[in-house]
Amino acid sequence: MTSFSNEPLPAMASPAELRALIESRRAVRRFTPEPVPDAVIRDCLELAVLAPNSCNLQPWSFQVIRDAALLAQLHPVCMSQNAARAPLIIAVLARPDTWRQACRNVIDYWPEAEVPARIRRFYSKTAPFQYNQGPLGLLGLFKRQLVRLVGLRKPLMRKPNSKADMRLWAVKSTALAAQNLMLAFQSHGYATCPMEGFDEVRLRRVLDIPRQAIPIMLLAVGRQGEKGVYNPRLRFPLEQQVTWL
């Protein structure tokens, strides 16, 4: 049986320390050529994958690009923007295609000696039905009709029930991991810039990206260079974006 603790989680960082870290993160456009140590990269990736994610299926992967020749090829792919001259670029990929292996991984890597029956049942039966959309999405079509009928009688989880839902499902979890990754690098003193401005067709020609993987950003990483931050921070008033109920 899985043991649960009612003890409150220890506060490892004060609110002030967390605020300072988050406020210090900016999108940096110019970097020095200083390389980022492999140990730092690995530490940050380990923190990235601690991000919360749907059903713990961890639908993400990362490609770490350090090779100078490959980085040079990526620069025009990223519309020749200054941030793409960073000494390190990490391709952050959402993976709607890895759920089957992930279901098996949960069982194989379960951190206790015995996998609880409810966990084994969920990842061998419930999750495969939930995430499988079938050939041409036909199973998803069937599930959408089933959900409409069952949903008349009780609340239930209605998605993902299409290929498009699966893409959104994977992107949401991967975006959380990307934020962890940026803050982790910031904690080590390395700046980042999440780049969405790139030519995906050309990107796939340069990098060996699986066909169903979704590049959600190319993360430029390095020491902040001179005039690395272009503009002062601007955020809209909180009152415009928050509703208190």
Side-chain angles (χ1 to χ4, degrees), residues 19-214:
R19 173 175 285 273
L21 177 65
I22 293 174
E23 287 186 343
S24 68
R25 189 215 59 79
R26 297 293 307 275
V28 168
R29 313 289 178 170
R30 291 190 173 94
F31 299 89
T32 72
E34 177 186 332
V36 182
D38 286 356
V40 170
I41 300 171
R42 184 175 186 87
D43 182 69
C44 293
L45 288 168
E46 288 176 350
L47 293 175
V49 300
L50 292 180
N53 60 95
S54 182
C55 286
N56 203 22
L57 294 181
Q58 306 171 46
W60 49 52
S61 64
F62 306 88
Q63 293 192 6
V64 180
I65 301 107
R66 299 161 298 170
D67 179 74
L70 200 52
L71 288 168
Q73 291 181 59
L74 285 179
H75 186 244
V77 170
C78 297
M79 327 306 290
S80 299
Q81 56 186 295
N82 285 327
R85 297 185 184 277
L88 169 66
I89 291 179
I90 299 178
V92 181
L93 310 175
R95 301 299 303 271
D97 56 320
T98 59
W99 62 267
R100 285 186 180 86
Q101 182 61 52
C103 284
R104 293 191 289 268
N105 284 347
V106 170
I107 303 300
D108 292 342
Y109 294 108
W110 190 254
E112 296 173 309
E114 186 167 340
V115 180
R118 60 183 176 82
I119 296 295
R120 190 177 294 277
R121 183 168 56 252
F122 180 84
Y123 287 101
S124 62
K125 295 182 178 180
T126 305
F129 178 76
Q130 181 174 322
Y131 292 105
N132 187 8
Q133 307 308 318
L136 303 176
L138 293 177
L139 180 55
L141 177 61
F142 165 75
K143 289 192 292 182
R144 289 198 296 277
Q145 309 314 313
L146 182 63
V147 161
R148 288 191 181 98
L149 292 175
V150 178
L152 294 173
R153 292 185 284 109
K154 64 178 182 179
L156 73 165
M157 183 173 173
R158 297 173 184 257
K159 294 183 178 182
N161 282 326
S162 69
K163 297 287 188 180
D165 286 348
M166 288 297 293
R167 290 171 63 88
L168 179 59
W169 165 79
V171 166
K172 286 190 292 184
S173 289
T174 305
L176 295 174
Q179 179 69 7
N180 267 23
L181 187 59
M182 286 184 279
L183 291 176
F185 277 116
Q186 188 71 21
S187 74
H188 280 279
Y190 291 91
T192 58
C193 182
M195 297 183 290
E196 293 183 89
F198 55 84
D199 184 326
E200 184 174 332
V201 172
R202 287 178 168 80
L203 178 68
R204 290 180 181 275
R205 292 174 186 164
V206 174
L207 301 180
D208 183 20
I209 296 177
R211 183 176 60 84
Q212 294 185 59
I214 306 164

